[in-house]
Amino acid sequence: MAAPSIAMDRNHQSNGKLGKTEKKFLRKQNKARHTLLRHEGIETVSYATQILVVANGGLGNGVSRNQLLPELEKLGQVDALLMPPNKPYSFVTYKTIEESKKAYVTLNGQKIVDDLGQKIILYLNFVEKAQWKELGLQALPPGLKVVEEIISSEDEKLLLESVNWTEDTDNPNFQKSLKHRRVKHFGYEFHYENNNVHKDKPLPGGLPDICDSMLEKWLKEGFIRHKPDQLTVNQYEPGHGIPAHIDTHSAFEDEIISLSLGSEIVMDFKHPDGVTVPVMLPRRSLLVMTGESRYLWTHGITPRKFDTVQASKGHKSGIITGDVGDLTLSKRGIRTSFTFRKVRQTPCDCSYPLVCDSQMKEPPPSFPESDKEALQLEQKYVHQVYEEIAGHFSSTRHTPWPHIVEFLKALPSGSLVADVGCGNGKYLGINKELYMVAEKL
């Protein structure tokens, strides 16, 4: 639809002369304004300024800088386009107020196609200033490095072609598809049920021959310190990922290296204190984790089809900064990773005993890799526990809360009430004129 000219004057909302389309537009625009204030604390103004907040036009709902900026630039000189990460809105600053007015009238209510091919409607409002939560300066986790273009495109092609995903299941290196990826092991099989390897049961054949000269070259050039004897090949479709984790200390030596093939990816590293560092791993790059980054920080890939990345062409690998004036979206492709490790033959004596399974009294929990495993865990740690504590639990939940009783007794006869997370159902029967359903979580 054409953007209604009455968008510039909210006093028209009550004149009773608006058509159905205009009324719908104003409702949507008002909703966007209230949502921004309630959820983000961004307050819009009723008069024109040089700065607009563009609801629905953000990285968080699939709109990239390359899509939005050309549309904005058609209407005037854009001084800045700020796109906060993971937010469904952006800020645009025009050179003059007249240009921002033009964008407000022209783009308000207009459709734009996002990177997924879906049509979304933009809603613009004026603001006094652009607001977002600044991200502090970050550095790569200690012991982490990324080496760009570690191999040629020809070698990448040979490595990808060397992995046969359709071979017979009798092959010792064959591995069924996991929930979110396909995987193969060489040298030693990694067992996901306990996140470890059988050190006395190596797989026949060792590592693929194609990897040998490559690893020798990296050793000679100083990119790695040890020659690995275990390889896990993972293949990720767009939208798939892997949960945050630390490779088991007792299973592998300090150095863990991962070669990214086929597509770039953003991997998230998280420190126990909550600091998260998103790191870009370009296609044909090598990630090397040693020391703190290997033993203390978790690493994982968030399941999504687009990554928030730097828009500047000169930026390839390393930290994705919080510079909202230089962020856009990158569509994921099929990524295959070759992750090399050296199996540890002695207990780990690292400097991080609180997260080291060799130095902890109890082994850390592992993630279930199948529905069957998940059901077994639920039966053991949920159902069985509740069966054991049910009597004591119920005896301590004997008196209804007065305000809840007052609320239930005040409801009209015949009201339907759902008590979700009802505990032992102590509110059932408080008002027999109600229809109550109870669900224990």
Side-chain angles (χ1 to χ4, degrees):
M1 73 175 196
S5 59
I6 48 93
M8 290 293 295
D9 186 357
R10 290 176 183 150
N11 292 329
H12 286 224
Q13 296 180 48
S14 58
N15 65 8
K17 298 179 182 179
L18 302 180
K20 184 177 180 181
T21 301
E22 287 80 4
K23 287 181 179 178
K24 180 180 178 181
F25 162 75
L26 287 173
R27 284 198 306 271
K28 293 283 189 178
Q29 189 196 33
N30 285 337
K31 181 179 179 181
R33 189 169 72 251
H34 292 311
T35 299
L36 284 165
L37 178 60
R38 186 171 67 252
H39 290 182
E40 308 291 349
I42 298 172
E43 190 167 1
T44 62
V45 295
S46 59
Y47 49 87
T49 67
Q50 290 172 252
I51 307 173
L52 293 160
V53 58
V54 186
N56 287 348
L59 301 177
N61 61 321
V63 177
S64 70
R65 183 175 297 271
N66 293 339
Q67 290 172 303
L68 185 59
L69 186 57
E71 298 299 320
L72 297 169
E73 289 179 330
K74 291 176 184 177
L75 304 169
Q77 183 176 339
V78 175
D79 274 354
L81 173 59
L82 308 180
M83 305 187 78
N86 306 315
K87 298 296 184 181
Y89 59 82
S90 59
F91 299 95
V92 56
T93 302
Y94 279 96
K95 190 74 174 176
T96 67
I97 290 180
E98 289 304 314
E99 290 170 320
S100 67
K101 283 183 180 179
K102 185 178 179 182
Y104 180 91
V105 173
T106 306
L107 288 180
N108 236 327
Q110 295 303 300
K111 292 179 180 178
I112 188 172
V113 179
D114 66 15
D115 276 359
L116 291 173
Q118 299 174 334
K119 293 181 179 179
I120 60 175
I121 300 176
L122 304 178
Y123 294 102
L124 284 70
N125 282 286
F126 292 107
V127 291
E128 281 284 3
K129 60 181 180 179
Q131 303 176 68
W132 68 94
K133 186 177 180 180
E134 289 268 12
L135 294 177
L137 292 176
Q138 296 171 319
L140 285 174
L144 183 73
K145 65 180 178 181
V146 180
V147 185
E148 295 178 18
E149 294 293 335
I150 191 73
I151 62 170
S152 66
S153 57
E154 291 79 10
D155 286 339
E156 177 189 40
K157 185 173 183 291
L158 290 173
L159 283 167
L160 290 173
E161 290 175 348
S162 72
V163 183
N164 184 359
W165 296 105
T166 60
E167 62 191 5
D168 189 82
T169 56
D170 291 335
N171 187 293
N173 300 120
F174 180 85
Q175 172 74 30
K176 292 190 298 183
S177 295
L178 300 179
K179 187 174 183 180
H180 295 300
R181 64 193 189 278
R182 295 197 294 184
V183 61
K184 280 194 173 197
H185 302 292
F186 298 87
Y188 293 82
E189 181 179 357
F190 186 80
H191 295 274
Y192 293 98
E193 65 273 12
N194 61 5
N195 292 326
N196 216 317
V197 296
H198 289 317
K199 300 177 183 181
D200 56 345
K201 294 182 179 179
L203 295 171
L207 272 56
D209 292 339
I210 192 173
C211 298
D212 192 62
S213 60
M214 182 176 67
L215 292 169
E216 289 289 353
K217 181 182 178 183
W218 296 347
L219 273 168
K220 184 178 180 180
E221 295 178 352
F223 294 126
I224 61 176
R225 297 176 303 183
H226 309 291
K227 189 170 183 179
D229 55 11
Q230 194 275 338
L231 166 64
T232 297
V233 181
N234 286 292
Q235 188 176 83
Y236 301 86
E237 297 284 339
H240 290 170
I242 187 170
H245 65 283
I246 299 173
D247 285 48
T248 311
H249 288 205
S250 64
F252 306 110
E253 293 286 356
D254 183 8
E255 191 172 66
I256 294 175
I257 62 177
S258 186
L259 179 66
S260 293
L261 305 176
S263 178
E264 65 184 19
I265 199 75
V266 171
M267 182 174 284
D268 294 316
F269 288 81
K270 189 171 184 178
H271 191 274
D273 66 8
V275 173
T276 299
V277 179
V279 178
M280 166 62 77
L281 305 180
R283 185 175 178 177
R284 296 188 294 277
S285 69
L286 185 69
L287 170 71
V288 183
M289 289 183 282
T290 60
E292 185 177 312
S293 66
R294 181 268 186 266
Y295 286 127
L296 186 62
W297 292 63
T298 64
H299 61 278
I301 298 172
T302 303
R304 56 192 175 210
K305 293 188 177 180
F306 293 87
D307 283 317
T308 299
V309 301
Q310 306 297 146
S312 52
K313 294 182 179 179
H315 184 93
K316 291 184 179 180
S317 66
I319 298 169
I320 306 300
T321 70
D323 181 3
V324 295
D326 186 38
L327 295 179
T328 188
L329 295 178
S330 172
K331 189 175 182 180
R332 288 184 180 177
I334 297 175
R335 174 179 175 265
T336 303
S337 66
F338 280 56
T339 300
F340 298 91
R341 310 172 180 93
K342 185 173 180 60
V343 171
R344 183 185 291 278
Q345 300 298 334
T346 58
C348 178
D349 59 353
C350 69
S351 302
Y352 310 95
L354 293 179
V355 291
C356 179
D357 63 310
S358 288
Q359 301 178 63
M360 290 189 296
K361 294 181 179 180
E362 295 183 6
S366 59
F367 292 99
E369 286 287 345
S370 67
D371 290 341
K372 183 179 179 180
E373 270 188 59
L375 287 172
Q376 290 173 341
L377 285 171
E378 182 182 14
Q379 181 64 37
K380 181 177 180 180
Y381 293 106
V382 180
H383 297 284
Q384 187 174 322
V385 170
Y386 272 101
E387 288 294 335
E388 293 174 359
I389 69 171
H392 177 266
F393 179 91
S394 181
S395 68
T396 59
R397 272 80 175 168
H398 48 75
T399 304
W401 292 0
H403 287 300
I404 304 298
V405 173
E406 182 181 341
F407 167 73
L408 292 173
K409 288 185 175 180
L411 292 175
S413 177
S415 295
L416 179 63
V417 177
D419 187 356
V420 181
C422 65
N424 62 353
K426 64 186 178 184
Y427 294 108
L428 295 175
I430 293 293
N431 185 347
K432 298 187 182 298
E433 300 297 321
L434 306 178
Y435 295 100
M436 289 193 70
V437 293
E439 175 69 24
K440 183 177 180 181
L441 298 180

